[in-house]
Amino acid sequence: MAVLKKRALAEYSQVVQEEACSKPLQLMKKPRLSSLQLEDELVADTLERLETNDDLVAYLNYIQRKLPFHADDKVVLMRKLIETYHRSEQSHIRLKIIGIVGDFRKIPKFEIQLIINEVIKLLSMETSHKVCASMISVLSKLGNLLVCDSPLLNKIINIGMQLLNNSSHLVKCHCLSLLGGLSNTTNLQGENVKHICKFTKSQDPRVRTAAYDALLRLHDRGQKLELCVYTDVCSALQDDNENVRQSAMRIVWVLSHTYPESCVMIPGCQDEVHLVDDAFAKLCQAIGDLSVNVRTLAAELLGSMVNVNPHFLEQTLDKKLMSDMRRKRSAHERHWETVTSGEWASGARWADDKPRENLDAESVSLIHSGACGAFVHGLEDEFMEVRSASLDSLCQLALSNPRFATLSLDFLVDMFNDEIEEVRLKAIDCMTKISHLIVLREDQLEIILGVLEDSNVEIREGLHRMLGACRLSTKACLKICVQTLLDNLKRYSQDKRSIWRCLQSLGSSHPNLTLLLVPELLTVHPFFDMPEADVEDPSYVCVLLLVFNAAQFCPQILSLFEEHIRRHYRYLRDTISNFVPRLQLAGVEDMETQVDFDTNTNYFLQNVMSRLNQPTSTNQIKVWDAACNDLIRLAQIDSNLAHGVELLATQLECHILIAKVMNSPAWIDSSSLNAQDGDVVKNLIDQLQRCSLRLQYMFSNLSTEEKLLIQSTRLQAMAIQLVYIVRASNTSALALSDHFVSRVEALKGYGNLPSFAGCIVKEISRLEDTKPGVLSRILLPILQAHIYVAPFCLPAKAFKVNAEILEPTGESDNPQKFLAGFVLGVVLDAEIQCLAHPEYLRVRVKYPDLNAQLIIPQESHLKTIKQYAQSELNENITVIPEHRLRTSVLVSHQVWTESSHIELSLVLDVTEPEVPSALKRWRGFSEDSFIIELCKPVRVLVSPKPIKRGI
């Protein structure tokens, strides 16, 4: 045993000596690269040690993923990459290295000129066409970072001109793209443009496409294309490559907007038309192209050509050629020919003034035969993309031409029967947009109302909005419409609110037609007492909404109301006041009708603003608190001022909390006070954080100055929290200080910053060390100097996000049962107004055990249902989307002893933009602080049942 032990010990000691040799230690020298900074020496050594191509490509990919990194001395790294480039014989490795060298432009303060010179040197020695094309692409990206008219930029352009003679189509395409993106646009007759135009005749379709795209790029950069290219571009519309045809169509569209009134000759005759009309005809002809992409693009471009001749425009809805394929002269031309010939038409000869020449379809002078019925062909296309694009263009052109809108009405109505739901919905939206230009006939209305039987709720509600916006021609149309809507309500009871809105709009827009139907709708008889209808009947409520909204514009209807109808009016006015207008009914005791006075809210608002702008007093917090209460009450009184006043009240609430926190000595020194005072200050700071987040994310449609003022208030709240953690707590504030500095850095590019933000940016820019202690010493005097310095603003056009949950209503006492541990789907239907950040919308589920869950709704469940405009004096029209959320909230829990309520609500979760990953690991982080409630929660009774075991 002793021998064995000695031998084992010897073997063990020998193994230890082998581990100490250089070879295993060399394996441990694998470089560990951080995500922020790469060490040049390690990278250079690694590049030299890698032997196989696969390892080299993997390491190059690793370097590219880590870009950009800090530039201490990255010239050495670039030199090593270039040396590796020269040693490599594989083109794909050289291609990867060129991409990394080009990405060096992302490194802050790195010399772009050095990268350009190195790439130009490598380009002169490169033989691979793919690598050359990649180098040209890199030069194009780097050239965009140079100043115009710099010598280096001209050198890049000259290289691109020289390489246009390369045999590779790939190199030519990248050179054309370079010339289109970097050429000087001040010289309208530039040689570069002429060179580009030469390559539109290239044999390779890819080069032709790149040439036309380069011309489009020049136009986007401000260079005006010459009219002489129009003929060549029109010939390219017949190219056998669809990409060439698409690029040529875009240039034709550009020229039609640049030279709309210029005249061009029609091939085959002596007539001239405006260029916009000829271009319109060319694009209409492309509707019949074999490629679906070409047809879709042609349909999209037609919508913006609003300056086209109305005669040409109307011809797109008629498949028949004019004059039965004959060109008929005008009466003046026939009379002039008779005078010059010395003969007069005696009338004795039959048809002596008939058309004397037969024309081919391709030579019709007014418009090309392919343009006849272009929209008809587009709306009947087999592909959904073409039909959808045709509907959009048809709607845009109809909005600019009322006669064309009337002619296109029948075609839009036919699209209501399309097989694709998306196309049907788009047709409904297009009809809604042009509703103020059209009047629906009875035969058209029958086709439209048939869509109400559709099972898709979005299509039904879209049709409700369209009917509410349209004008009906006769009493029979209104009667049919009302009856069909009532049938729709019986079949789909969930459409109740949408039908109410529809009938509300119908009554307001058709008061005279409604007057003729009142006796029939309300079963009113001049001599007999009719039975009183039940006010809880949904159909009867719909009829009342129609009649009441028509009565505000037609006082004759009021005389037809019986006593029970007046009682029903008073009841509905109290329950659904949003749908029932104010009416001057005799005998109805209503405070709204008895008192009619001017609230004079503007004068009151000016009084509040004057109090806020007064010099600082000793009881400033009380003044602000009283003004905040007045503003909240004012927002409840005047709905026109509500959004702006609520923003001002929220901003005022933030400054009240700031003043309360800073007036308490516990926010910078909690050692000398009791724990209760410290908890009060902590709660005030938490309230301040939530209030500042509401101020930042709940209001939209603000100017730059107003946004900066809100950002300054948010920055002030973050500064108070940072100083409190550093001075009055034992929690680490390193993550919070880094986040604060990043927010300050984001404001450096703005001018005219508010007082507090300007001081913070100025002081932070001077610091070299941004540790929490240093920041707190700088922030404290600035905060103390700005306690009562609060510039308030009243935005005139601000919008506040608001949500309302329509379903579930929270009134049901019947529990929804499901097996414990399984999932229950609760249907949620909500309307959200002025939602500026839909990506932050969440559904919060709160269980009886106080656990909460945030659910991200699917994008397809949140849809824009309406766009409404608000304007003042017809200026600065602002379009704000209204969203509709229809989703199923998944609820799951273990067994409960009895049924209990869960709470559903809509919130904004701003954790992602406000909290970086490092701050989430902070000990004082709380997710609840970054949740913004949009509505009151709705209670739903649920009952998870235990699973029954089978026998």
Side-chain angles (χ1 to χ4, degrees):
M1 293 297 294
V3 175
L4 290 176
K5 289 182 179 179
K6 186 181 294 184
R7 186 176 302 171
L9 181 60
E11 292 178 357
Y12 178 76
S13 62
Q14 187 176 2
V15 171
V16 173
Q17 291 178 0
E18 288 179 357
E19 288 183 354
C21 67
S22 60
K23 186 174 182 180
L25 290 178
Q26 185 177 3
L27 294 176
M28 298 301 293
K29 289 183 178 180
K30 185 176 180 181
R32 299 174 63 185
L33 303 174
S34 65
S35 60
L36 296 178
Q37 185 175 4
L38 297 175
E39 296 183 3
D40 296 336
E41 296 180 358
L42 292 178
V43 174
D45 293 341
T46 306
L47 288 174
E48 292 178 355
R49 286 202 320 268
L50 294 175
E51 298 177 356
T52 63
N53 293 330
D54 293 340
D55 294 340
L56 182 58
V57 171
Y59 192 71
L60 291 175
N61 289 330
Y62 177 79
I63 295 176
Q64 193 171 27
R65 287 196 303 269
K66 298 302 179 181
L67 288 174
F69 40 79
H70 297 294
D72 296 333
D73 186 13
K74 298 305 172 189
V75 179
V76 178
L77 175 58
M78 192 174 71
R79 298 294 184 191
K80 292 296 182 180
L81 288 172
I82 293 175
E83 290 177 6
T84 307
Y85 175 91
H86 287 297
R87 292 198 308 267
S88 178
E89 298 179 356
Q90 301 294 329
S91 60
H92 67 279
I93 295 179
R94 300 199 301 273
L95 194 67
K96 176 62 68 175
I97 293 175
I98 291 299
I100 296 176
V101 172
D103 288 342
F104 269 64
R105 70 185 187 277
K106 302 176 183 178
I107 301 176
K109 299 180 181 180
F110 198 86
E111 295 184 4
I112 303 298
Q113 293 82 359
L114 179 62
I115 305 176
I116 294 176
N117 291 328
E118 293 294 339
V119 174
I120 291 176
K121 291 179 183 178
L122 297 177
L123 182 59
S124 61
M125 299 180 292
E126 183 57 53
T127 57
S128 172
H129 294 310
K130 289 185 178 180
V131 180
C132 286
S134 177
M135 290 180 179
I136 297 169
S137 177
V138 169
L139 289 177
S140 178
K141 296 176 182 177
L142 295 173
N144 290 323
L145 304 177
L146 297 176
V147 183
C148 295
D149 297 332
S150 71
L152 198 55
L153 181 61
N154 295 330
K155 186 177 181 181
I156 294 175
I157 294 174
N158 292 332
I159 291 175
M161 295 281 291
Q162 295 172 6
L163 292 178
L164 281 175
N165 298 322
N166 195 286
S167 59
S168 172
H169 74 278
L170 196 59
V171 176
K172 289 181 181 179
C173 291
H174 281 81
C175 288
L176 289 170
S177 177
L178 183 145
L179 294 178
L182 300 182
S183 296
N184 191 359
T185 58
T186 57
N187 186 7
L188 299 182
Q189 300 292 339
E191 294 294 330
N192 297 333
V193 178
K194 296 181 181 179
H195 280 286
I196 293 175
C197 291
K198 291 179 182 178
F199 285 89
T200 58
K201 304 293 184 181
S202 175
Q203 295 181 353
D204 196 316
R206 292 165 292 192
V207 178
R208 297 198 298 271
T209 304
Y212 285 123
D213 290 340
L215 292 177
L216 287 171
R217 182 78 179 276
L218 286 173
H219 168 76
D220 294 338
R221 294 176 55 225
Q223 179 159 346
K224 190 176 181 181
L225 300 180
E226 294 296 322
L227 182 60
C228 59
V229 303
Y230 180 73
T231 304
D232 295 335
V233 174
C234 288
S235 62
L237 293 175
Q238 307 300 326
D239 197 280
D240 57 352
N241 185 274
E242 66 173 281
N243 294 325
V244 178
R245 297 199 297 272
Q246 291 184 61
S247 299
M249 286 165 53
R250 292 188 179 95
I251 295 185
V252 168
W253 179 84
V254 166
L255 293 174
S256 68
H257 286 75
T258 308
Y259 307 98
E261 300 299 329
S262 300
C263 294
V264 295
M265 298 291 297
I266 297 179
C269 64
Q270 301 299 322
D271 292 337
E272 290 184 349
V273 293
H274 290 155
L275 189 144
V276 64
D277 298 333
D278 188 67
F280 184 79
K282 296 289 193 301
L283 294 179
C284 286
Q285 186 182 7
I287 293 289
D289 195 275
L290 294 177
S291 171
V292 60
N293 296 325
V294 176
R295 298 200 301 271
T296 304
L297 179 61
E300 291 174 353
L301 295 178
L302 288 176
S304 59
M305 304 184 71
V306 295
N307 296 324
V308 70
N309 192 316
H311 181 66
F312 290 178
L313 192 60
E314 295 169 8
Q315 192 70 13
T316 59
L317 298 176
D318 190 2
K319 291 184 179 180
K320 298 180 181 179
L321 291 176
M322 299 187 63
S323 301
D324 194 19
M325 298 302 296
R326 298 174 182 268
R327 182 170 177 267
K328 190 170 183 177
R329 294 169 298 174
S330 64
H332 176 73
E333 290 175 343
R334 295 195 302 270
H335 180 67
W336 176 252
E337 182 180 356
T338 305
V339 172
T340 54
S341 64
E343 298 180 0
W344 295 88
S346 61
R349 290 178 296 176
W350 175 257
D352 58 351
D353 61 343
K354 67 178 181 179
R356 297 184 180 180
E357 55 176 324
N358 294 334
L359 298 182
D360 185 70
E362 298 295 332
S363 63
V364 176
S365 62
L366 289 179
I367 190 168
H368 199 283
S369 62
C372 295
F375 278 120
V376 179
H377 290 293
L379 295 176
E380 295 176 353
D381 196 275
E382 60 178 327
F383 287 91
M384 179 194 70
E385 294 83 359
V386 182
R387 300 198 301 273
S388 180
S390 300
L391 280 171
D392 288 332
S393 295
L394 189 68
C395 178
Q396 294 179 32
L397 294 173
L399 288 173
S400 61
N401 192 322
R403 175 173 169 79
F404 184 73
T406 304
L407 294 176
S408 63
L409 181 57
D410 289 330
F411 298 95
L412 286 175
V413 171
D414 290 339
M415 294 305 295
F416 283 22
N417 296 322
D418 195 274
E419 59 184 1
I420 304 297
E421 290 184 354
E422 184 178 347
V423 178
R424 295 201 299 271
L425 189 58
K426 186 177 288 292
I428 293 172
D429 292 338
C430 292
M431 182 81 80
T432 306
K433 293 178 182 178
I434 65 172
S435 58
H436 62 284
L437 301 174
I438 58 176
V439 178
L440 293 178
R441 304 189 307 268
E442 188 172 351
D443 58 326
Q444 297 169 339
L445 194 60
E446 291 178 356
I447 300 176
I448 293 173
L449 294 177
V451 185
L452 288 176
E453 300 178 0
D454 198 296
S455 60
N456 191 338
V457 62
E458 295 181 10
I459 292 180
R460 295 198 306 271
E461 292 192 354
L463 193 60
H464 296 158
R465 292 191 298 272
M466 188 271 293
L467 290 174
C470 285
R471 292 179 296 171
L472 306 180
S473 57
T474 62
K475 179 186 73 171
C477 291
L478 181 60
K479 181 179 179 180
I480 295 174
C481 185
V482 172
Q483 187 59 46
T484 309
L485 288 173
L486 296 180
D487 294 339
N488 177 201
L489 180 63
K490 294 178 181 178
R491 180 174 299 180
Y492 302 103
S493 58
Q494 62 268 27
D495 295 350
K496 179 177 65 175
R497 293 179 65 89
S498 180
I499 294 176
W500 284 0
R501 290 195 187 96
C502 177
L503 291 172
Q504 181 185 19
S505 301
L506 281 175
S508 301
S509 56
H510 302 85
N512 296 325
L513 295 181
T514 307
L515 174 62
L516 303 176
L517 293 175
V518 166
E520 182 178 354
L521 293 175
L522 298 179
T523 61
V524 176
H525 196 276
F527 306 113
F528 300 102
D529 287 336
M530 305 301 291
E532 179 179 343
D534 184 9
V535 74
E536 298 295 335
D537 183 9
S539 299
Y540 179 64
V541 173
C542 291
V543 172
L544 288 180
L545 292 180
L546 173 73
V547 175
F548 289 156
N549 283 276
Q552 62 178 333
F553 300 103
C554 185
Q556 293 86 345
I557 298 179
L558 300 177
S559 60
L560 301 177
F561 289 172
E562 296 183 350
E563 180 61 29
H564 68 276
I565 297 178
R566 293 187 176 91
R567 293 199 311 271
H568 296 167
Y569 164 77
R570 188 165 55 251
Y571 170 75
L572 295 178
R573 179 63 184 165
D574 293 336
T575 54
I576 50 175
S577 58
N578 293 335
F579 299 95
V580 181
R582 289 179 54 185
L583 299 177
Q584 299 293 335
L585 289 178
V588 177
E589 297 179 359
D590 192 352
M591 294 299 297
E592 296 182 9
T593 59
Q594 292 177 2
V595 181
D596 187 11
F597 59 91
D598 186 10
T599 57
N600 205 2
T601 54
N602 290 322
Y603 175 76
F604 181 76
L605 180 60
Q606 292 176 2
N607 187 12
V608 174
M609 292 297 296
S610 64
R611 280 187 285 160
L612 293 177
N613 295 326
Q614 288 179 355
T616 305
S617 60
T618 56
N619 56 351
Q620 189 66 33
I621 296 180
K622 294 182 179 179
V623 174
W624 283 353
D625 204 358
C628 186
N629 294 331
D630 292 340
L631 290 174
I632 294 174
R633 180 57 181 162
L634 180 60
Q636 299 173 354
I637 295 174
D638 193 343
S639 59
N640 295 326
L641 300 174
H643 293 266
V645 169
E646 287 180 2
L647 188 147
L648 181 59
T650 307
Q651 185 184 9
L652 190 56
E653 183 181 354
C654 288
H655 287 284
I656 292 173
L657 292 172
I658 289 173
K660 288 182 178 180
V661 170
M662 298 190 65
N663 286 333
S664 173
W667 84 284
I668 55 175
D669 186 12
S670 60
S671 59
S672 60
L673 300 175
N674 53 25
Q676 184 176 1
D677 294 335
D679 293 339
V680 171
V681 173
K682 186 177 179 180
N683 292 333
L684 288 175
I685 293 177
D686 292 340
Q687 294 178 24
L688 176 59
Q689 300 303 315
R690 291 188 174 92
C691 187
S692 61
L693 288 174
R694 292 202 310 270
L695 182 65
Q696 182 175 355
Y697 288 98
M698 291 193 69
F699 298 93
S700 58
N701 194 36
L702 303 174
S703 64
T704 304
E705 293 77 10
E706 294 162 352
K707 291 179 181 179
L708 290 176
L709 193 58
I710 291 175
Q711 289 286 345
S712 178
T713 306
R714 173 64 183 151
L715 201 66
Q716 197 169 358
M718 294 176 62
I720 288 178
Q721 184 184 27
L722 178 60
V723 174
Y724 168 75
I725 292 173
V726 174
R727 303 290 295 269
S729 70
N730 57 357
T731 306
S732 173
L734 185 60
L736 188 61
S737 63
D738 293 339
H739 180 49
F740 179 80
V741 172
S742 65
R743 294 293 293 264
V744 174
E745 293 288 339
L747 293 176
K748 282 186 176 181
Y750 294 95
N752 299 325
L753 289 173
S755 176
F756 177 80
C759 293
I760 292 294
V761 171
K762 184 178 179 180
E763 293 295 331
I764 296 295
S765 60
R766 297 176 180 176
L767 292 179
E768 296 181 357
D769 186 9
T770 57
K771 292 182 179 179
V774 178
L775 286 178
S776 64
R777 286 193 296 270
I778 293 177
L779 292 176
L780 183 57
I782 300 177
L783 286 170
Q784 291 174 346
H786 290 82
I787 297 180
Y788 300 111
V789 179
F792 298 104
C793 67
L794 180 64
K797 301 175 183 178
F799 291 100
K800 180 185 177 183
V801 60
N802 185 29
E804 181 184 3
I805 298 179
L806 306 179
E807 187 180 351
T809 59
E811 300 175 354
S812 177
D813 294 331
N814 298 323
Q816 299 188 32
K817 300 179 182 180
F818 65 99
L819 294 179
F822 286 79
V823 176
L824 169 67
V826 180
V827 178
L828 178 69
D829 187 1
E831 291 181 351
I832 311 166
Q833 291 83 24
C834 311
L835 180 62
H837 304 283
E839 65 274 13
Y840 304 146
L841 182 65
R842 303 289 186 269
V843 179
R844 183 168 66 177
V845 183
K846 194 172 183 179
Y847 294 95
D849 57 0
L850 300 183
N851 289 327
Q853 181 182 10
L854 295 179
I855 301 175
I856 303 176
Q858 297 183 18
E859 289 187 18
S860 58
H861 294 174
L862 181 66
K863 295 190 176 182
T864 303
I865 62 170
K866 181 182 177 183
Q867 287 192 345
Y868 58 92
Q870 180 171 348
S871 61
E872 292 185 1
L873 301 178
N874 297 325
E875 296 179 358
N876 300 327
I877 295 179
T878 304
V879 178
I880 301 294
E882 181 180 342
H883 292 82
R884 185 70 172 267
L885 177 63
R886 293 186 181 91
T887 187
S888 180
V889 181
L890 302 182
V891 178
S892 179
H893 212 278
Q894 299 302 320
V895 180
W896 296 348
T897 56
E898 60 183 11
S899 301
S900 186
H901 288 90
I902 61 173
E903 294 183 353
L904 302 180
S905 61
L906 295 179
V907 298
L908 291 179
D909 182 12
V910 297
T911 306
E912 181 179 354
E914 288 292 327
V915 183
S917 57
L919 192 59
K920 292 180 181 179
R921 296 188 294 270
W922 177 49
R923 193 173 67 180
F925 170 72
S926 175
E927 290 186 356
D928 294 339
S929 301
F930 299 91
I931 301 299
I932 304 173
E933 294 185 356
L934 301 182
C935 62
K936 294 181 179 180
V938 175
R939 294 162 59 89
V940 179
L941 188 63
V942 297
S943 176
K945 295 295 183 181
I947 301 176
K948 296 181 179 180
R949 303 295 181 181
I951 299 175

